[in-house]
Amino acid sequence: MTSPDLAAHIERGLTDLRDLVKMESVSAQGRSLPETAAAVRALLEAEGFAVREYPGHVAPVLVAEAGPEDAEFTLLIYNHYDVQPEDPLELWDSPPFALTERDGRLYGRGASDDKGEFVSRLAGLRLARERAGGPLPLRVKWLVEGEEEVGSPSLDAFVREHAAELKADGVWWEFGSVTPEGRPVLYAGLKGIVCVELRCRVADSDLHSSNGAVVDNPLWRLASAVASLRDEGGTVLIPGFHDDVRPPSDADLAAVTALSGGGETLRDTYAVTRPLGTPAEYHHRLNLKPVVNVNGFHGGYGGAGSKTVLPAEGMVKLDFRLVPDQDPARVVTLLRAHLDAQGFGDIEIVELETHQFPGRSDLEAPFVKTAVAVAREVYGQEPLLNPSSGGSGPIHPFMAYVGAPVVALGIGNVGGRVHAPNENILRRDFGRGVEYAAALMTALAGQD
Amino acid sequence: MTSPDLAAHIERGLTDLRDLVKMESVSAQGRSLPETAAAVRALLEAEGFAVREYPGHVAPVLVAEAGPEDAEFTLLIYNHYDVQPEDPLELWDSPPFALTERDGRLYGRGASDDKGEFVSRLAGLRLARERAGGPLPLRVKWLVEGEEEVGSPSLDAFVREHAAELKADGVWWEFGSVTPEGRPVLYAGLKGIVCVELRCRVADSDLHSSNGAVVDNPLWRLASAVASLRDEGGTVLIPGFHDDVRPPSDADLAAVTALSGGGETLRDTYAVTRPLGTPAEYHHRLNLKPVVNVNGFHGGYGGAGSKTVLPAEGMVKLDFRLVPDQDPARVVTLLRAHLDAQGFGDIEIVELETHQFPGRSDLEAPFVKTAVAVAREVYGQEPLLNPSSGGSGPIHPFMAYVGAPVVALGIGNVGGRVHAPNENILRRDFGRGVEYAAALMTALAGQD
């Protein structure tokens, strides 16, 4: 049973989401970023937040504050208003920048990652205040950036420089998800990431492929370089890559072991035909294994039929997902040394913006325990607590400079197609997210 | 010194070429093929040829005949009126379908391959007739197809079925080239070819790349499969691939050894930075080594910046250049077995249209010797005789069903950018080609 006040707050949140999804805030392409920042600022100011706007590399950073300065607990919420590119456009069943409801799901770029999270929490704050009959004895700070999908290039320095302004007792991370059965999934850490492009060129013009007997092929060279990066099980083979991996704590290992399921949902939702690892290894790999991904590989002819061409050049895009205490810059150095040692000294490495340290919170911290307990109560099921997400984000500055534990819980779902066509959330999860936000803030205010 | 009649025939030939280059006869895309066939037919009929038009798979096949039926020598000329796709368009310095002269070169798609060859020979025939004061005592047959750039899918069966109609004492192949120093380059054979696409798919939708810890990557799988096909020196590693390779004859080896240069022109013209093999191996490799080429590799994100996506699928385009007596269909069978053995049973092989047997003529055949001798006289330099081109073409049916030796000599140049942007011929080579055609036909008519 949804109480009447909750239903109204959910609808108001969805109206906010509809307005934000319309804004094409693709940070990789520098689209609509100041406009979207202004819309987010207006939403926060309407709830009494004092909002400061700072310049970022490609998009403004917003810092908002509300609530008594002498509150016993300060919650820092981190969200982002930028989104991934919408391509390939032809695979969307409805326009990416128009929130569209079908069969209990709301589709649109950013519906889940991360506009949906943001508005659900704002709706939860409104609900908590209404239920409390006024302001909560809780200080809420909100950091909303617009560069998360390009690796948050401004955030590390920003959080370091604004550490006092951002001081908090706990950080509520931007995402999180709910299983199809309605179990909340929490994360107490994030993998790091570093993105690079590999480029190879053998001539100043494409050649007739008869010359393949006497001129090397840039796509074969890139393919061989890519093949050398990992084994068939997905373990990275770059010498030194694993040297800085911190062994998981006993609590980390216990948490991973307690997680159920082994990729069945992923398999059923996306028709995945080639899982890596066994079902028993699933959560250990997602939480704790560093990996390399080929995000794109392009060169030569890609049209209909054949073209007997020896391409002049080609390029590959990679991301590395890292675990504590791997260092993104050191991984690039190791990659360079590996390519050189493999005979690929001619392959150029171009570092892309995305570059983040990994981080994992202490699972025994009180804020982590409260977040889990409230989730158990609101969702009515035992939460699934992950030491780390398989995904990445700029967790490092919060752990290093704010010094607070970080927890992620949100409104995503395993069929949410985040970063892909038909990104979506369940209406059920949005509503539950509003309720959770209200309950968590109430609990942190000491009023539950 | 160009004699007055030669200059006029060259200009008329270039007018013919200008008209043909305008026609966008891209066979891979089925563009303007019947119209171009009609234009070729009109040019031949204007010179008194009886022309028959037959249906092909994607474009008409033309067979033309002229000259006395009881002539002592019948020359069969093979040309094609289709061209390669013009992309990438932005790398052309003038429109691909407008013959444009700059600094002694004539640029346009098909200027060299193969509209330029065709019109130079037709102009040579006109010149020979004018010099002889009437028809030559030579039977000339002309086969002009429009499917060469997609692997001549109709030609094998066509030549087999029309073997009597095409009977000849020597076959003049569609191409050939001249060195920057003006030495004619002849070929007495062609490599075979087979083109395939490799496809890999792991899901029905792109995934967030955090799933790379638990879902395999189709681009890594394709890269590993491609890497396994050859070694760093360019030798194909597919088991059984070399079993059917016919050892070169002593004459083949002597001819290859007599060829000078080691890729300097290719290097200087195309800024090639990664030659395969040593300069001393250059001609042996081009003539006699079977190879695999990666023509294209496409999957995932290719735009600006990074996109942290695990692509659902990817594809690779390959061609294999074969030597006698390799069989294209058997190569595909061996490729399948190799991929299966390497653990890539999930990678699909799609055969593309391009599929041709290799062929090499006997270098001691009289027609080959005449073609070389006339080249020596017309070009005033020692010809460079290659047992085989590094390129491919439908030579097999001519050798198997017509049973005549095949020689290629033409108007290409090493900077001709055939199959690439800015395809071109030298005005010098076009004129010399007209002269050579006239002299060869005169010699074969027994009138030199």
Side-chain angles (χ1 to χ4, degrees):
Chain A
M1 264 304 285
T2 301
S3 65
D5 58 346
L6 175 59
H9 285 286
I10 290 169
E11 287 313 312
R12 186 162 162 204
L14 289 176
T15 299
D16 293 344
L17 182 56
R18 202 164 286 117
D19 292 343
L20 286 184
V21 167
K22 277 182 199 156
M23 310 192 81
E24 305 185 5
S25 51
V26 178
S27 48
Q29 298 161 356
R31 289 155 63 188
S32 300
L33 298 168
E35 299 87 327
T36 311
V40 168
R41 178 179 189 145
L43 285 170
L44 287 163
E45 287 177 341
E47 301 311 323
F49 280 82
V51 184
R52 294 177 292 279
E53 183 170 328
Y54 301 93
H57 274 63
V58 299
V61 181
L62 303 176
V63 176
E65 290 191 59
E69 292 192 19
D70 61 352
E72 287 198 9
F73 196 92
T74 298
L75 173 66
L76 172 59
I77 307 179
Y78 166 66
N79 285 109
H80 63 90
Y81 59 82
D82 62 322
V83 296
Q84 283 275 320
E86 70 275 27
D87 77 297
L89 194 58
E90 67 276 13
L91 298 185
W92 285 83
D93 294 326
S94 52
F97 298 109
L99 190 72
T100 305
E101 187 159 7
R102 290 192 297 277
D103 301 328
R105 288 181 190 262
L106 296 144
Y107 293 86
R109 175 58 87 227
S112 179
D113 179 17
D114 183 49
K115 292 167 176 175
E117 306 284 5
F118 169 68
V119 303
S120 71
R121 293 166 185 185
L122 195 64
L125 177 61
R126 292 186 197 116
L127 173 62
R129 286 173 176 174
E130 187 180 308
R131 284 178 174 169
L136 298 178
L138 173 73
R139 185 92 177 146
V140 178
K141 298 181 179 178
W142 219 309
L143 194 161
V144 192
E145 67 154 325
E147 306 175 336
E148 198 273 344
E149 300 294 3
V150 292
S152 302
S154 310
L155 202 68
D156 193 278
F158 183 87
V159 175
R160 191 176 64 234
E161 286 160 23
H162 298 256
E165 184 181 342
L166 295 169
K167 189 167 164 42
D169 302 299
V171 179
W172 190 6
W173 204 250
E174 48 124 348
F175 66 81
S177 65
V178 184
T179 69
E181 299 73 31
R183 286 181 78 176
V185 186
L186 287 84
Y187 302 94
L190 291 162
K191 284 185 177 172
I193 190 168
V194 59
C195 293
V196 300
E197 199 169 292
L198 304 183
R199 294 181 189 164
C200 185
R201 167 178 276 270
V202 299
D204 73 354
S205 163
D206 288 353
L207 301 172
H208 191 285
S209 74
S210 60
N211 291 300
V214 291
V215 177
D216 210 344
N217 187 296
L219 304 182
W220 181 84
R221 294 189 66 72
L222 286 168
S224 290
V226 166
S228 76
L229 298 178
R230 45 157 276 206
D231 66 15
E232 61 181 14
T235 297
V236 175
L237 298 175
I238 297 169
F241 180 80
H242 300 276
D243 289 357
D244 295 331
V245 172
R246 183 205 307 168
S249 70
D250 290 347
D252 291 337
L253 291 174
V256 166
T257 304
L259 294 169
S260 59
E264 300 80 5
T265 311
L266 195 62
R267 181 194 67 206
D268 295 343
T269 308
Y270 295 106
V272 167
T273 52
R274 295 203 65 88
L276 276 179
T278 65
E281 295 166 347
Y282 182 81
H283 293 290
H284 194 285
R285 292 179 70 107
L286 262 185
N287 278 264
L288 302 170
K289 187 178 178 67
V291 293
V292 60
N293 289 294
V294 190
N295 308 129
F297 197 141
H298 291 280
Y301 188 62
S306 57
K307 184 178 181 189
T308 49
V309 67
L310 169 53
E313 61 187 331
M315 71 91 161
V316 170
K317 287 178 191 274
L318 301 176
D319 73 53
F320 290 87
R321 299 281 177 170
L322 310 176
V323 300
D325 295 308
Q326 292 180 298
D327 174 337
R330 181 163 145 77
V331 166
V332 176
T333 303
L334 294 171
L335 173 64
R336 176 74 273 160
H338 171 71
L339 292 179
D340 290 348
Q342 296 281 316
F344 298 117
D346 60 307
I347 294 181
E348 184 189 2
I349 300 176
V350 180
E351 280 194 68
L352 304 177
E353 291 283 297
T354 309
H355 178 113
Q356 288 161 345
F357 279 84
R360 280 204 303 266
S361 303
D362 177 1
L363 296 188
E364 306 296 327
F367 172 62
V368 177
K369 289 180 169 291
T370 300
V372 172
V374 172
R376 186 179 293 118
E377 193 179 310
V378 170
Y379 289 84
Q381 301 195 51
E382 185 57 32
L384 296 161
L385 175 61
N386 289 268
S388 172
S389 166
S392 308
I395 197 172
H396 177 257
F398 294 92
M399 302 195 85
Y401 315 126
V402 176
V406 177
V407 167
L409 188 147
I411 61 164
N413 69 90
V414 76
R417 299 183 188 259
V418 163
H419 289 207
N422 297 321
E423 176 176 348
N424 68 84
I425 52 173
L426 288 168
R427 176 179 266 274
R428 177 199 72 176
D429 296 337
F430 186 84
R432 200 54 66 84
V434 172
E435 207 171 354
Y436 180 76
L440 179 64
M441 292 190 229
T442 302
L444 294 173
Q447 299 207 324
D448 58 336
Chain B
M1 266 302 285
T2 301
S3 65
D5 58 347
L6 175 58
H9 284 287
I10 290 170
E11 286 314 311
R12 187 162 161 204
L14 289 176
T15 299
D16 292 344
L17 182 55
R18 203 164 282 117
D19 292 342
L20 286 184
V21 166
K22 277 182 198 157
M23 310 191 81
E24 305 186 5
S25 50
V26 178
S27 47
Q29 298 161 355
R31 289 156 62 189
S32 301
L33 299 169
E35 300 86 328
T36 311
V40 168
R41 179 179 189 145
L43 285 170
L44 287 164
E45 286 176 341
E47 301 312 323
F49 280 82
V51 184
R52 294 177 293 279
E53 183 169 328
Y54 300 94
H57 274 63
V58 298
V61 181
L62 302 176
V63 176
E65 289 190 59
E69 292 194 18
D70 61 352
E72 286 197 10
F73 196 91
T74 298
L75 174 65
L76 172 59
I77 308 179
Y78 167 66
N79 286 110
H80 63 90
Y81 60 82
D82 61 322
V83 297
Q84 283 275 321
E86 70 275 26
D87 76 298
L89 194 58
E90 66 277 13
L91 297 184
W92 284 83
D93 294 325
S94 52
F97 298 108
L99 191 72
T100 305
E101 187 159 6
R102 290 192 297 277
D103 301 328
R105 288 181 192 263
L106 295 145
Y107 293 85
R109 175 58 87 227
S112 179
D113 180 16
D114 181 50
K115 293 168 175 175
E117 306 285 5
F118 169 68
V119 302
S120 70
R121 293 165 185 186
L122 195 64
L125 177 61
R126 291 186 198 115
L127 172 63
R129 285 173 174 173
E130 187 179 307
R131 285 178 174 170
L136 298 178
L138 173 73
R139 185 90 179 150
V140 178
K141 296 181 179 179
W142 220 309
L143 194 161
V144 193
E145 67 153 324
E147 305 174 337
E148 198 273 344
E149 300 294 4
V150 291
S152 302
S154 310
L155 202 67
D156 193 278
F158 183 86
V159 175
R160 191 175 66 235
E161 285 160 22
H162 296 256
E165 185 181 341
L166 295 169
K167 191 169 165 39
D169 301 301
V171 179
W172 189 5
W173 203 250
E174 47 122 351
F175 67 81
S177 64
V178 183
T179 70
E181 299 73 30
R183 286 181 78 177
V185 186
L186 287 83
Y187 302 93
L190 292 162
K191 285 185 177 172
I193 190 168
V194 59
C195 293
V196 299
E197 199 170 292
L198 304 183
R199 295 181 190 165
C200 184
R201 168 177 275 270
V202 301
D204 73 354
S205 164
D206 288 354
L207 300 172
H208 190 285
S209 74
S210 60
N211 292 299
V214 291
V215 177
D216 210 343
N217 188 297
L219 304 182
W220 181 84
R221 294 188 66 72
L222 286 168
S224 291
V226 165
S228 76
L229 297 179
R230 44 159 277 206
D231 65 17
E232 62 181 14
T235 298
V236 175
L237 298 176
I238 298 170
F241 181 79
H242 299 277
D243 290 355
D244 296 331
V245 172
R246 184 205 306 168
S249 70
D250 290 346
D252 291 337
L253 290 174
V256 166
T257 304
L259 293 169
S260 59
E264 299 82 2
T265 312
L266 196 62
R267 181 194 66 206
D268 296 344
T269 308
Y270 295 105
V272 167
T273 52
R274 294 203 65 88
L276 276 178
T278 66
E281 295 166 346
Y282 182 80
H283 293 289
H284 193 285
R285 292 178 71 105
L286 261 186
N287 277 265
L288 303 170
K289 187 177 177 70
V291 293
V292 61
N293 290 293
V294 190
N295 308 128
F297 197 140
H298 292 279
Y301 189 61
S306 58
K307 184 178 180 189
T308 49
V309 66
L310 168 53
E313 61 186 332
M315 72 92 162
V316 171
K317 287 178 192 274
L318 302 175
D319 74 52
F320 290 88
R321 300 280 178 172
L322 309 176
V323 300
D325 295 306
Q326 291 180 299
D327 174 337
R330 183 165 144 75
V331 166
V332 176
T333 303
L334 293 171
L335 172 64
R336 177 73 273 161
H338 171 71
L339 292 179
D340 290 349
Q342 296 282 316
F344 298 117
D346 58 308
I347 294 182
E348 185 188 2
I349 300 175
V350 180
E351 280 194 71
L352 304 177
E353 291 283 298
T354 309
H355 178 111
Q356 288 162 344
F357 279 84
R360 279 203 305 266
S361 302
D362 177 3
L363 296 187
E364 306 295 329
F367 172 62
V368 177
K369 289 179 168 292
T370 299
V372 172
V374 172
R376 186 179 293 120
E377 193 180 310
V378 169
Y379 289 85
Q381 299 195 52
E382 185 57 31
L384 296 161
L385 176 61
N386 289 271
S388 172
S389 165
S392 309
I395 196 173
H396 177 256
F398 295 93
M399 303 196 85
Y401 314 127
V402 176
V406 177
V407 167
L409 189 147
I411 61 163
N413 69 90
V414 75
R417 298 182 189 259
V418 163
H419 289 207
N422 297 321
E423 176 177 347
N424 70 83
I425 53 173
L426 289 168
R427 176 178 268 276
R428 176 198 74 176
D429 296 337
F430 186 83
R432 203 51 68 82
V434 172
E435 208 172 352
Y436 179 75
L440 178 63
M441 292 190 227
T442 302
L444 295 174
Q447 298 207 324
D448 59 336

